[in-house]
Amino acid sequence: MRVSLTLRYLKYLIGLPNTHYASLALAENDNLRNSLHPCWLSDLDFAINQLPGNHRLPHLHALDGTLIDKLIKAIEFSTKTNLQSHIDTWSKLSLLRHRLEPKEGGPAKPQMIGLRHYLTQIQKHSHRRTITKLLCGDFTPQVFRASPSPLRQLTATENLNRLCRTCVLHPETPQHILFQCSSLPSICSLRADFITYTHQHRPVPFNASFSDPTALHYLKSFIFDWTLITPTAKFVHNVIDRWRSFLDTGIDREDVAESGSEDSDVE
């Protein structure tokens, strides 16, 4: 994160000789901060204080390399803990729950913060953006009435308000539209082709009637797979294209053109 990089730069600055121009500038910066004037150090302190954990930047005379290292570790720990809490409690982030980051070589491992495989593996921008929006719950409720995996049992009224707008049988979740609903032939055709392809790489039952937890499991397993992420992103993008077209027109069209520009990406 940027705060960690800035603190490492501060560690470099305080290690410079007192006669160095950067060291003299830092000392003057500290004087400005002590006088309650805006400066780089006060901005850094403000930024740190806005992060989870209520951390503060000590005064310059109390700082050394060891203390800065401890501050960096404390900020990273509290930030990751706060992020994990959001993932564990926000239902729209259920696709990120218990994920293992895949690697090109070796087993997948837990990774709270880092460059994600789908950001480098998916070359087509529109597909990459669709997967990112799906994982971050950005399609709920604009495109999907129901969140990916509610943490509590829905009331009867909530169930009625969140039922799929085609089959009117199940909550309208991403996994339902992608792997369960059989009301739109165009999506069923995309699904059949995708399942046939994935069956070459992993055991997936043909023509399966997935339960909601099973559909969510397969959706996550396809996304967090180093080999399958690119075809999965294409499948998800094309399904949502057709789903959005149906919501806009009320007509199921198999000839929906795939978005070709950033302006026409799935929103």
Side-chain angles (χ1 to χ4, degrees):
M1 66 178 69
R2 285 179 288 181
V3 166
S4 295
L5 292 175
T6 306
L7 285 172
R8 289 186 175 92
Y9 178 61
L10 177 59
K11 180 181 177 181
Y12 160 75
L13 292 178
I14 64 175
L16 294 174
N18 294 335
T19 55
H20 197 287
Y21 281 129
S23 180
L24 294 172
L26 181 63
E28 192 60 34
N29 216 266
D30 188 48
N31 291 332
L32 289 171
R33 182 191 178 193
N34 293 335
S35 301
L36 302 181
H37 288 91
C39 62
W40 180 71
L41 283 175
S42 61
D43 288 346
L44 178 57
D45 182 39
F46 177 81
I48 290 173
N49 187 242
Q50 300 308 300
L51 296 173
N54 297 318
H55 303 287
R56 298 307 300 260
L57 180 68
H59 288 287
L60 189 61
H61 69 271
L63 278 175
D64 58 26
T66 301
L67 185 58
I68 291 178
D69 288 338
K70 289 181 179 179
L71 181 58
I72 291 173
K73 289 182 179 180
I75 290 174
E76 290 181 348
F77 176 79
S78 57
T79 301
K80 290 179 180 179
T81 301
N82 183 261
L83 179 59
Q84 187 63 57
S85 175
H86 285 317
I87 292 174
D88 291 340
T89 56
W90 289 6
S91 60
K92 65 167 55 180
L93 298 180
S94 63
L95 287 173
L96 300 179
R97 207 164 295 143
H98 308 302
R99 68 174 168 184
L100 297 176
E101 183 67 20
K103 307 294 181 183
E104 185 174 9
K109 297 180 180 179
Q111 182 178 330
M112 174 55 60
I113 297 176
L115 181 62
R116 300 300 174 184
H117 72 297
Y118 55 86
L119 297 177
T120 58
Q121 290 297 100
I122 304 172
Q123 299 301 311
K124 195 173 181 65
H125 170 76
S126 57
H127 296 178
R128 186 170 61 249
R129 186 178 182 211
T130 297
I131 283 292
T132 303
K133 288 167 70 70
L134 177 66
L135 288 172
C136 295
D138 203 26
F139 286 123
T140 307
Q142 290 83 357
V143 177
F144 304 108
R145 282 179 167 178
S147 60
S149 180
L151 297 178
R152 59 177 175 80
Q153 192 70 27
L154 297 178
T155 66
T157 301
E158 286 175 326
N159 266 319
L160 288 175
N161 292 335
R162 300 189 183 195
L163 289 179
C164 175
R165 280 166 279 189
T166 54
C167 69
V168 199
L169 295 174
H170 301 284
E172 191 179 281
T173 61
Q175 64 266 23
H176 172 72
I177 301 302
L178 289 164
F179 292 114
Q180 293 177 290
C181 188
S182 58
S183 299
L184 299 182
S186 65
I187 291 179
C188 290
S189 177
L190 289 172
R191 182 187 304 144
D193 291 343
F194 176 70
I195 293 297
T196 299
Y197 176 82
T198 57
H199 201 273
Q200 304 171 23
H201 300 272
R202 61 169 57 209
V204 180
F206 286 104
N207 301 319
S209 179
F210 292 121
S211 66
D212 199 59
T214 304
L216 182 62
H217 164 76
Y218 275 113
L219 176 57
K220 293 172 70 172
S221 67
F222 293 147
I223 291 175
F224 299 114
D225 184 290
W226 187 269
T227 303
L228 293 178
I229 180 56
T230 298
T232 299
K234 179 180 180 180
F235 165 67
V236 171
H237 181 84
N238 289 341
V239 167
I240 294 178
D241 255 359
R242 283 156 178 77
W243 176 243
R244 285 293 300 271
S245 175
F246 170 77
L247 295 181
D248 291 340
T249 65
I251 301 173
D252 179 31
R253 298 178 56 193
E254 296 196 27
D255 59 343
V256 176
E258 184 176 344
S259 301
S261 69
E262 293 189 15
D263 293 335
S264 60
D265 282 345
V266 175
E267 293 293 343

